[in-house]
Amino acid sequence: MKASTDRIADPWGGRTPYPPGAPWPTRIDTHLAAGLTPADVDRWAQSASLLHSNGDAMDIAVKDGRIVGVRGRADDRVNRGRLGPKDLFGWQANASHDRLARPLVRTGGHLVESDWDTAMDRIVARTRELLRERGPGAIGFYTTGQLFLEESYTLAVIARAGVGTNHLDGNTRLCTATAGEALKETFGCDGQPGSYGDIDHADTIALFGHNMAETQPVLWMRVLDRLAGPDAPRLLCVDPRPTQVARHAAVHLAPRAGTNVALMNALLHELIRTGRVDHDYLRAHTVGFEELAAQVAACTPEWAAGICDVPAARIAEAAALLGSAERLLSTVLQGFYQSHQATAAAVQVNNLHLIRGMLGRPGCGLLQMNGQPTAQNTRECGANGDLPGFRNWENDQHVADLARIWNVAPERIPHYGPPTPALQMFRFAEQGSIRLLWISGTNPAVSLPELHRIRRVLGQEQLFTVVQDLFLTETAQLADVVLPAATWGEKTGTFTNADRTVHLSEEAVEPPGEARPDLDIFLDYARRMEFRDKDDGPLITWHDPQSAFRAWQECSAGRPCDYTGLSYDKLRGGGIQWPCTEQAPDGTERLYADGPAWAHPEVCESFGKDLVTGASVTEVEYRALNPGGRAVLRAAEYLPPHEDTSDEYPLQLTTGRTLYHFHTRTKTGRVPQLNAAAPDVWAEMSAAEATARGLHEGDLVEVTTARGAVSARLRITAIRDGMVFLPFHYGYWDTAEGHLPPPGGAGRAANETTITDWDPASKQPLYKTAAARVTLLERTDGTPGPAPTTTASAPVDPDSAPATTGGPAAHATQHTAGEEGTGTRP
């Protein structure tokens, strides 16, 4: 079937049902600029999505040197040709009229256009001055989960062995640091055990704080197609909002925010009580079951019900669903990662799979999901709190091995303490010990908590700030030097998605003006700084993406994330999962088929942390606990959140994403179809909470916490009572005020209100634990709130807001298998 569908109104497109164990059928999604057909395209360039973590493979359409559309790649294992709304329409942001095309430098208090030599000379001069006067600890790098692998690795070498600083972290700290930490706590190493292919085999799929329908719409299409076929899987959804996942779930649990550990302990209690435990698997592959069983012994559904405000019978029903599964797939995301006791809660999902022996077999998968397209690369390349190649900073042999690869002395690589997490870096900048902060591809002036504080830090005279980005973001406006970067479609490199699939993205068009690929910027900085190895040769020996990729392959060799069997030529055939080696030339779909492989004290990435205090477990303690290198069942006691509701702030505030936008909208806010679907911030409340306050759909309300306030139009949804939701995407670059928020009063960015608090183990900020109040600012004039009606923000009363549509410009073609013209090759 060939059809044209409004992919704003129908984000997930048509169904292609299939039974368990069968391959996911192909469906090719295509969107081209108005008036163009595939015959008009000059050429197609291979790529994958950079606007979420799914890794949807696509080809970029080029005509007359411009990007004019995209189509899904039918032969790719991740999406089988399908594309989500951000995939289909997001490419238009590349051609925005306000792209940065020349460097900017601050002169006389204002940013003015300059040239590359002037901009880079300022950065180099300040770097050298600080190294001479204060040492490497005065310099920090805050990067992103959107750079390519080659760029993240190059930055890691520059920071660790060039500058010699411990202050390097990514904005993946905000979204997936807990994923990496939870995997290290259980398996001794990062890396997702499961595969997207497990959806094809699972009889039960549990989604813990994971709004898959909006964060990974193509993966949700795969689930929908299983649900539409025979022998459909049963779904468990843990989420306080009425997501599409919740609407399709056999069991939906909507716990009070901050109580995930209590809920998980009750589920584990029931599995153990009812004998749903694979003791043979536990004896062969784990340690710590007795401690876990003792911890959850008193955690009955009735006990958890009093904490989570979920009926005990529903908790028992969820446990029965998990306990009866023969092929269980679990996914976890921000509802756990950004909430109280984040790592402890995520680790309990690992525990659930271990006690049921549900790992390493088709349909028995565990995915501690990522929120960004290259979050996996920041972690594996050492740009997000670890050493490259999943090496352990506390293991001297690991440091020595890395020093050998880089040809530097081991003491050149800082490992006197753990790499500095992002919120601590901003604290150091606030205190004055970090004096140069290089921010690449991220917008902390909108994305970090307690924004008035972050703006104050970035605005300090003593802090020299470099921003490397596509647009003059809210953060760039506060910078001393702004470097114009090339983006997806304008450069070549690789990136790795949430199930370890590596994709190649090739340059389709030239970047605008003088904008440069991030790799070229980093290489230029390294050359100007004259970083040297121990033989006085250049520290950075590569010069382009392919040579950088080969350098990374050497670094990854023999480690869990082994890329040695990959190449650009091989990746032109489609995405491949690491580890890919001579022994596994086609990649590895599932990890741990024969039990944990990287938990032994000699090879593990981490010895673990105390889940309450975050203190590192010592090597001696770890060796005593786990001498044989098994998976560790780590128990956790439930503790109340740090900030709770009160008479002044009676509601729990949670923040999150919407299907149509990515991060702070620097790209998606410039795409007509996506922006029209969700043009402005809104606030969600239940009908009961709205009625209690005399509020109606579309009323202008103020959401206030102890930190600040946001004004937003109200959407009345089926969200749990006692809660208010704000999407975090909205900043100030497209407001009537011009740019940064006006002084005083309510703002537009959700993070004006969020608390500076983080998980003790993963150091991930907790965006879902604040207490708030909601008050009326202005009665509606009949205009509904701007929230989409297709997603978790659908109104309780369907007649209260017009249906979200995209019109003719949002139509995309869908080809199902067997038609002509569905191939991905030109």
Side-chain angles (χ1 to χ4, degrees), residues 187 285-287 595-601 603 622 625-632:
F187 302 106
H285 299 300
T286 72
V287 296
W598 294 95
H600 192 278
V603 298
Y622 185 77
L625 168 71
N626 194 21
R630 298 182 176 192
V632 180

Side-chain angles (χ1 to χ4, degrees), residues 207-270:
L207 299 99
F208 296 96
H210 182 196
N211 182 3
M212 184 191 290
E214 299 190 54
T215 57
Q216 294 172 298
V218 169
L219 199 62
W220 179 239
M221 295 174 203
R222 196 167 189 159
V223 173
L224 288 176
D225 287 350
R226 275 295 319 274
L227 293 175
D231 298 321
R234 302 167 297 169
L235 266 58
L236 167 64
C237 173
V238 178
D239 199 308
R241 297 177 69 217
T243 65
Q244 288 291 326
V245 177
R247 290 165 188 156
H248 286 81
V251 180
H252 174 210
L253 303 178
R256 180 175 170 80
T259 65
N260 293 329
V261 167
L263 177 63
M264 292 305 305
N265 281 352
L267 293 174
L268 291 167
H269 167 96
E270 282 294 282

Side-chain angles (χ1 to χ4, degrees), residues 104-147:
L104 307 175
V105 298
R106 189 165 296 279
T107 302
H110 301 282
L111 288 171
V112 298
E113 283 195 350
S114 185
D115 58 78
W116 276 100
D117 282 339
T118 299
M120 295 303 293
D121 284 348
R122 287 198 181 191
I123 299 170
V124 168
R126 185 60 174 149
T127 304
R128 287 177 170 159
E129 178 185 27
L130 289 171
L131 287 174
R132 182 174 62 252
E133 296 179 357
R134 292 177 172 268
I139 298 166
F141 296 88
Y142 182 47
T143 188
T144 178
Q146 296 172 74
L147 298 186

Side-chain angles (χ1 to χ4, degrees), residues 331-553:
T331 70
V332 191
L333 198 59
Q334 311 301 20
F336 273 37
Y337 299 164
Q338 293 180 343
S339 192
H340 177 59
Q341 290 189 284
T343 303
V347 162
Q348 303 318 304
V349 181
N350 299 348
N351 290 343
L352 190 158
H353 274 259
L354 289 172
I355 70 170
R356 295 239 48 228
M358 295 280 175
L359 282 175
R361 296 181 284 121
C364 300
L366 171 64
L367 292 166
Q368 296 283 353
M369 282 291 186
N370 296 337
Q372 288 197 75
T374 69
Q376 197 66 47
N377 296 132
T378 63
R379 302 206 305 259
E380 66 199 27
C381 292
N384 193 47
D386 292 290
L387 295 182
F390 294 152
R391 289 174 172 84
N392 188 340
W393 66 269
E394 294 181 279
N395 187 320
D396 288 342
Q397 290 303 312
H398 287 203
V399 176
D401 184 51
L402 191 60
R404 173 190 58 81
I405 294 167
W406 292 346
N407 196 32
V408 298
E411 55 269 22
R412 176 90 165 264
I413 301 171
H415 59 286
Y416 47 82
T420 312
L423 265 63
Q424 187 63 56
M425 286 171 53
F426 277 84
R427 177 59 172 159
F428 288 157
E430 185 175 47
Q431 294 173 328
S433 60
I434 287 182
R435 294 297 183 97
L436 187 157
L437 186 59
W438 190 325
I439 301 169
S440 51
T442 187
N443 190 15
V446 176
S447 62
L448 287 184
E450 205 169 348
L451 285 180
H452 67 89
R453 172 176 172 258
I454 298 302
R455 287 191 293 267
R456 186 175 68 245
V457 172
L458 291 172
Q460 294 176 109
E461 286 293 327
Q462 67 184 7
L463 181 66
F464 186 89
T465 306
V466 180
V467 170
Q468 183 172 313
D469 216 319
L470 315 182
F471 300 98
L472 192 64
T473 64
E474 292 87 343
T475 303
Q477 294 171 49
L478 299 169
D480 296 282
V481 175
V482 180
L483 304 177
T487 187
W488 170 96
E490 300 166 358
K491 59 183 183 178
T492 294
T494 56
F495 50 98
T496 307
N497 76 350
D499 85 334
R500 297 174 285 104
T501 301
V502 185
H503 282 109
L504 174 67
S505 182
E506 300 196 275
E507 180 182 317
V509 299
E510 293 285 335
E514 298 177 21
R516 294 180 179 177
D518 298 274
L519 178 62
D520 290 359
I521 296 171
F522 294 145
L523 292 175
D524 185 27
Y525 175 68
R527 179 184 59 80
R528 292 172 186 264
M529 285 296 300
E530 298 180 312
F531 294 130
R532 316 300 286 180
D533 66 15
K534 66 181 181 181
D535 297 324
D536 202 36
L539 175 67
I540 307 292
T541 57
W542 48 96
H543 61 278
D544 64 5
Q546 280 200 255
S547 56
F549 185 79
R550 288 192 292 269
W552 165 248
Q553 286 181 296

